[in-house]
Structures are given as C-alpha cells and as structure tokens.
Amino acid sequence: VSKCQGDKLEEQDPCPHQPIQGLMKGDKLEEQDPCPHQPIQGLTKGDKLEEQGLGPEPTAPQQPTEEEEALIEFHRSYRELFQFFCNNTTIHGAIRLVCSQHNRMKTAFWAVLWLCTFGMMYWQFGLLFGEYFSYPVSLNINLDSDKLVFPAVTVCTLNPYRYTEIKGELEELDRITEQTLFDLYKYKSPNTAVARPRGRRDLRETLPHPLQRLRAPPPPLRARRARSAASGMRDNSPQVDWKDWKIGFQLCNQNKSDCFYQTYSSGVDAVREWYRFHYINILSRLSDTSPPLEEDLLGNFIFACRFNQASCNQANYSHFHHPVYGNCYTFNDKNNSNLWMSSMPGINNGLSLMLRTEQNDFIPLLSTVTGARVMVHGQDEPAFMDDGGFNVRPGVETSISMRKEALDRLGGNYGDCTKNGSDVPVKNLYHSKYTQQVCIHSCFQESMIARCGCAYIFYPRPRDVEYCDYRKHNSWGYCYYKLQVDFSSDRLGCFTKCRKPCSVTSYQLSAGYSRWPSVTSQEWVFQMLSRQNNYTINNKRDGVAKLNIFFKELKYKTNSESPSVTMVTLLSNLGSQWSLWFGSSVLSVVEMAELIFDLLGITSLMLLRRFRSRYWSPGRGRRGAREVASSPPSSFPSRFCPHPTSPAASQPSPAPIPALAAPPPAYASLGPCLSPGGSGSAAPGSPACPLGEP
C-alpha cells in the first residue's frame, strides 16, 4: 500500500482485513488499500496520483515529474493566481496587497490606493488619446533665399470695349439712360443731343425693367423722433424728402406671379447697376462667330514695357477682354515660352510699365473710375480682377513691392483641404489650376445654369449653354438676384463644397506712390510721348501713369503644417504616464496581459469542469458509474487518482468513505477482490472487496 504525503513515497505491508483510512491535508491525499494479495504501486506529484493496475489492461499515461513542466499550466484558483502575480510582478505597490494580508486596514488602504492610481493613469491615457485623435497641427515657418519666378501680372484699361456688332444697341442704351436721369433727377448731359423728349411710356416700351423712384417705407417712430430732434437743432439746413426715396427696378418670375424691386439708397449705385444689367443682356447677343476683338496694339495702351532692364515683346503677354474692365494684358503667364526669373531684388530688376489712361470712347455710365486695373497672380491661375485687383491712378508712379509666401497644409485627417480639386464635387469651368476662387465661381455658374437655364456672362460657360438675355430668358434677372442672396448666405453650399487647396502660393504687396512726371520734367516727357506714341498733350497728367512691380527681397517664407502629436509622441507620453504612476515599463504591460490571459484560462476551465460535473453526480446510479469508470484518468480532477479496473467488476460501495469529501462516488477507486491464492485475477461476477470487513 502506498501513502501520499507531500512528495515522499512510503510503503507498508499489505493488510488484508484492515479498513481504508484517508487523510486530506490541503490538496494532498493519503489512501490505504485493503486489498490483500495485490501489489499496488503509486507515485504522486502534488495532487496527482498515478496507479498501475493488474492484468493486461493499458496503464495510464505517465504524469510529469518535478523536473518536467507542461507547456501551459494554470493556477488552481483566482486567489492563488492573484498572490503569484502580486509576489512576482514588476509593478510597484502590488506586493503590498499580499504582504499586508494579515492587516486588513493596510490591505484595504493599498487596494484603494492601487485602484485610484489605475484610475488616474487611465484618465490621463484618455486625455492623450483624445489629443491624438483630434489631429492637431503645428505651423513651421521656414525662410529660404533663392532665385524666384516672377509672377504673372494682368493690366486692364478700365475702358469697356464698344463692339461694332452691338454699337448701335449700346448707343440706344446710353440715350435711354440719359433720358431716365432727366426724368428722375432733371439732369441733362451737355453732350447729349435729344431729338425729341421721350416720356416714361416710350421708355417702358423700349427697355424692360425701367428704373423707377420708389418711396421708402416710413421708419419706426423712435427713429423719426430722433431725426426730428436732430433736424430741429440745425435750422439752417433745408429739409428735403429725397432722402426717403429709393431707386430701383422691378423683376418678376416667368408667370409674373412673384415680383420684387431691386432697390438702392444711392442713385449713383442704382443707375450703374441698372445700366450694367442691360449692358450684360446686350453683350450676350454677340455670336460665337463674331469677328475677334479689334485688339489694340500693345503700344496703344502700354507706352513702354521693361523687365530686368530688357524690353518686352509680344511673346511676353497675352490678351483677353473683360466685360467691365475692357482690354486686359497678362504678362509672364503660362503661355510664355520663357518665364521671367528674378535674380536680384529692387525696382530696377522688376517689371516697369508706362500706361496710357486716356478715356477714348469711354462708357461713363458703366465705369466711373479712370486709370488702370492691375492684379498679381500665379502663372496657372486665372485673373479675377474683381476679387484681387487694384487700381493705378493717372499722373502717379505706383511702385509695388512683393514678398512671396507659400503655405503647405496637411490633408486627410489633419485638415480639410484638397491637393488638385479632383475630390471636390464641383466641375472646374476655367480649365486651370484649382483654387478656391475658381471653385466658387464655377459652383455659382452651375447653380445659375440649373435654376435659371442660362449662364452668367462674367463666368465661363459650358459649350451647350447660352448666356443670359431677357429676350430669350425673360425672367433670368429675377432668378439671378434671388440666387445672389442664396449665394451670399451660403444656402447654395458653394463655400462648403469648395475646400481650400493644400498648397497655396501668394504674394504680399505693399505700394508706394509719387507724382509722375514731376513739374520740371513734364514738358519734355509729354513732348516725347506725343511724338513717339501720339499722346495728346492737352491731357497732361490725366492720360498717363507709371507702374513698377518688383521683389522687395529674394527671401521667401514657407509655412508648412506638421502633426503635433505623432505615434512616437503618443507612445512616449503613454510610457511617461505609466512610469509616473507605477514606475514600470513595457514588460509590465506584458505581465498585465499575461494576468488577463490566465484569468480567462482559469475561468474557461472552471466552466468546463462545472459542465462535466453533471456526469459525476451520485444520483445517476449505475449509468453514472459506468460513465465515470469508462472515463480516462486524465479527465478527473488532479487530487483524485482512480485505480484502473474492469467496468464489469465495478460496483458502488454501500458505505461511504468518511475521509473523502468530493466527488463522493469514487467508483473506480477500489480494486477487485483477489483470491487467496494470489492468482492476480478476479473471478467473474465476484463482489468488490468490502470496506471495513475482516
């Protein structure tokens, strides 16, 4: 008979009539077998018992010895796992939970402190992850110095062109406008020769949407009292009711069911907008087969052109016509074979232009300024003269110094920008480089075509779309001004759709002005211009201007964005917080992962044992005994070591073993009763060896 006590093996002589006595101490099991003539050999390691049966039956697999170790082993309970973790982990403070287990106050204190530390650390982790996923950026400013490509410069005459094809209609518009001014303000132009006075009825029959004087709605009572008090203090100022007037014209929809007045408080603004509205309609009647513009020679508008002390030629500029600003010339655009380069800063190393500002065949009701319109832009960008241009004053030398700036934005999660506009849901009608202005104007034109059925003449149009004309689209004015209100309030969504480009190059301009030519030099300057360029000397300063554009310095600033929090920065911050609160490293994180893995493993095994324990229940009788007896030894808990025996010889014991607590029916733990002769085999159908019998 073998007895298990610790890891030692003790042997005793077999006693045939001695009852079995079992002793449970911790997880160790001591057993005595009363079977008299059967030698039993057992070897235990901790809780496990290995027994070798008799006869030809196969023996159970050999259990690992102390020198051997399984590939994956789990602890018996959560308590044992927790104690092992606290005793061996590198996380500071964990061992205090074990060392202070006999002092409940200290144990509770360290447990609360440990949990609070964990909470604070993971709160900091949440802040760090929140900062990382907000994708902040840092702005880096770099100053570089190198040769610079000179930008494109567009100069316009501020004198709208009178086409021969529509010259008669423009003259009729001028005459009707002058008659309107006389009807509204009793003003008669000295240069107008009216054959016969025309009444308002004739005017209405000639042009739709006549200009009218409307009385403004009365102001609130408080405003009227304030105005009366203010006018009473100035008795010498005459009171006129012209301030209560509004000038405007009526616009209606297709079926005249909805109408409104486009009104202005200033008569000058009202006349200009009304004239511009009719001018657009007349200009849209030009056919695509009309002869090209009678383009003035460069010398008719630009007396002199020099860049970097060298004269310009026709290969250095291109020409186009603007409906309001007239003939425009773009120098150093993308069509130029050799782009201008600036290797030195200063006024002598830039572009110098001498411009004619005479107002020949001028349309005074469309443009009320004189001089020239100038814009500096990139080579592959269109010139939006309304948005980014400035005027040059006659009789003045205007010097524009430039400083180049570049901005590189981060796209993707770090910023709402586009690289080339391919991901913007707006078609580029300008066929040029993507800019936000290009996108916004294209978006407005698309909305104009969709709602009004025609294209606005100031923007490019698709090939199969006509420009708006009230002879063909009688309600386009109503649609256009309604659309302008929606566009300004972004109800069209153009400002939302059109994202900023990721790379932008801009030029910061600063201007200086001086009188040109001077009093002492104006005589010979005007004489030279008159002899060489047919300049009218009587105009003197009103017909000429000088423009200088140059780089102030060759240094240019590049503003680039970079991520403020990268993955390396995030990991560094997480490690700093982990070390601050627990004083540990990455390997401590692996220990935590191992702890979680062990917890999941123990939980899975406990659930599996609970599921299998249903088949070990004593109430299942003979069927349960057969199931347990037929189960391999490895499926039993480690502290129960069954003897291999024949299923037919296994019978349930009538008396329970008082020393064993669980699981109660150890049916296969008793060997068969051997014959006194010690033949080593049991008789068939012989009963099992009774417990406690002599």
Side-chain angles (χ1 to χ4, degrees), residues 177-349:
T177 305
E178 292 172 357
Q179 182 66 38
T180 301
L181 291 176
F182 180 79
D183 294 340
L184 295 178
Y185 296 99
K186 305 303 180 184
Y187 168 77
K188 185 176 181 181
S189 175
N191 298 326
T192 303
V194 182
R196 63 180 182 87
R198 302 188 59 168
R200 298 289 293 173
R201 181 175 301 177
D202 297 335
L203 180 65
R204 250 184 228 105
E205 293 174 356
T206 306
L207 286 178
H209 314 292
L211 196 63
Q212 305 175 27
R213 185 174 60 190
L214 308 171
R215 182 170 294 276
L221 181 61
R222 182 177 301 178
R224 282 183 290 175
R225 289 177 179 177
R227 189 173 63 178
S228 300
S231 61
M233 295 174 62
R234 297 186 294 270
D235 296 333
N236 56 348
S237 59
Q239 296 185 10
V240 294
D241 58 351
W242 283 25
K243 294 182 180 180
D244 296 334
W245 293 354
K246 283 187 176 296
I247 309 298
F249 50 98
Q250 189 182 38
L251 298 166
C252 298
N253 59 358
Q254 184 74 24
N255 54 7
K256 310 294 183 181
S257 60
D258 184 23
C259 299
F260 72 94
Y261 283 92
Q262 183 70 19
T263 59
Y264 301 88
S265 58
S266 171
V268 176
D269 295 338
V271 171
R272 284 190 59 205
E273 184 64 24
W274 180 80
Y275 188 92
R276 184 171 177 267
F277 174 72
H278 288 285
Y279 175 76
I280 289 174
N281 286 273
I282 295 175
L283 201 62
S284 64
R285 296 166 196 164
L286 289 172
S287 61
D288 296 335
T289 59
S290 298
L293 296 174
E294 298 176 4
E295 179 183 339
D296 295 338
L297 296 175
L298 188 64
N300 291 343
F301 172 55
I302 300 177
F303 291 151
C305 172
R306 294 179 63 85
F307 176 77
N308 210 5
Q309 303 299 321
S311 299
C312 307
N313 53 50
Q314 291 186 357
N316 300 132
Y317 73 93
S318 59
H319 170 265
F320 69 94
H321 182 265
H322 192 275
V324 175
Y325 299 112
N327 288 330
C328 298
Y329 303 88
T330 302
F331 295 88
N332 197 37
D333 63 351
K334 61 182 179 181
N335 297 323
N336 193 1
S337 57
N338 296 318
L339 295 180
W340 292 341
M341 300 291 297
S342 292
S343 56
M344 292 288 292
I347 194 171
N348 295 324
N349 298 286

Side-chain angles (χ1 to χ4, degrees), residues 297 299-303 354 356-360 525-540 543-544:
L297 296 175
N300 291 343
F301 172 55
I302 300 177
F303 291 151
M354 190 181 302
R356 180 196 294 267
T357 58
E358 292 178 304
Q359 299 178 354
N360 297 329
V525 170
F526 291 149
Q527 287 293 333
M528 294 296 295
L529 292 176
S530 175
R531 296 175 184 272
Q532 185 177 359
N533 303 100
N534 296 325
Y535 178 72
T536 305
I537 300 179
N538 297 332
N539 293 332
K540 294 187 177 180
V544 66

Side-chain angles (χ1 to χ4, degrees), residues 537-605:
I537 300 179
N538 297 332
N539 293 332
K540 294 187 177 180
R541 295 183 182 279
D542 295 336
V544 66
K546 192 172 184 181
L547 174 65
N548 301 312
I549 301 177
F550 56 92
F551 278 111
K552 184 178 182 180
E553 55 186 4
L554 294 183
K555 293 181 181 179
Y556 62 94
K557 182 170 66 173
T558 302
N559 302 320
S560 59
E561 293 180 349
S562 61
S564 296
V565 182
T566 61
M567 181 59 68
V568 176
T569 308
L570 177 64
L571 294 178
S572 177
N573 294 336
L574 293 177
S576 300
Q577 292 295 326
W578 185 272
S579 299
L580 172 65
W581 296 104
F582 287 102
S584 50
S585 63
V586 177
L587 297 181
S588 303
V589 180
V590 179
E591 292 177 2
M592 293 291 296
E594 183 184 15
L595 173 64
I596 296 174
F597 176 75
D598 289 344
L599 286 172
L600 294 176
I602 292 177
T603 304
S604 301
L605 290 177

Side-chain angles (χ1 to χ4, degrees), residues 60 66 70 130 150 200 217 279 342 419 430 435 445 452 518 587 637 688:
E66 292 182 355
F150 199 80
R200 298 289 293 173
Y279 175 76
S342 292
K419 292 184 178 180
Y430 287 85
T435 64
Q445 187 74 300
C452 307
S518 63
L587 297 181

Side-chain angles (χ1 to χ4, degrees), residues 46-113:
D47 300 344
K48 303 177 182 179
L49 178 62
E50 234 182 358
E51 296 183 359
Q52 187 174 4
L54 301 176
E57 294 184 1
T59 60
Q62 194 76 12
Q63 298 295 328
T65 63
E66 292 182 355
E67 290 78 10
E68 298 177 356
E69 186 175 333
L71 181 61
I72 299 178
E73 290 185 352
F74 296 101
H75 296 273
R76 297 182 183 88
S77 63
Y78 294 118
R79 181 183 183 87
E80 183 181 345
L81 174 62
F82 182 69
Q83 289 180 351
F84 175 81
F85 175 78
C86 293
N87 287 328
N88 296 279
T89 185
T90 57
I91 299 176
H92 291 188
I95 196 171
R96 293 288 184 180
L97 300 175
V98 180
C99 294
S100 305
Q101 61 183 348
H102 299 294
N103 190 331
R104 294 185 178 181
M105 182 176 293
K106 286 188 177 181
T107 303
F109 170 76
W110 280 101
V112 172
L113 183 61

